[in-house]
Amino acid sequence: LTCKHLEISLDEYLKYVVQRSIFGAVPAIAFLLVLRTWIDNPTWWIVLSAGVAYSAIFVLCQLFYVYRNDQLTDPLGLIRQKLEARRS
């Protein structure tokens, strides 16, 4: 239904949505897997820190890989616009 509405093939849709999102999530998931092997008995502050670090890694990967040169969405362009508006 989505492909029909957007008038694109299923291959184009899967490349756009699934492939980029999976590759964008891999570094953050790898970070959690590494922490899991390094830390045997985590405390609450380690879990909290890992959650914050995971979120930061995920957001950075989404901004600089998934949405980089995106034809439909340009969050980095929006951030640049907001920063330039604050300067003036």
Side-chain angles (χ1 to χ4, degrees):
L1 183 61
T2 302
C3 293
K4 186 177 179 181
H5 179 73
L6 295 174
E7 299 175 354
I8 59 173
S9 69
L10 182 61
D11 288 343
E12 288 178 273
Y13 177 77
L14 291 176
K15 284 180 185 176
Y16 181 76
V17 174
V18 177
Q19 181 184 17
R20 293 178 90 177
S21 296
I22 287 174
F23 286 131
V26 165
I29 293 170
F31 169 75
L32 290 179
L33 291 174
V34 168
L35 279 183
R36 184 177 173 192
T37 59
W38 284 353
I39 300 170
D40 293 329
N41 197 8
T43 60
W44 68 271
W45 65 270
I46 291 175
V47 173
L48 180 67
S49 301
V52 170
Y54 168 84
S55 298
I57 292 168
F58 184 79
V59 167
L60 291 173
C61 288
Q62 296 300 306
L63 283 175
F64 292 108
Y65 174 73
V66 175
Y67 291 117
R68 180 180 46 118
N69 299 328
D70 191 289
Q71 68 249 10
L72 302 175
T73 306
D74 186 17
L76 290 175
L78 293 173
I79 291 170
R80 279 188 223 109
Q81 269 183 343
K82 297 290 183 184
L83 290 174
E84 288 173 4
R86 280 191 173 177
R87 290 182 191 166
S88 41

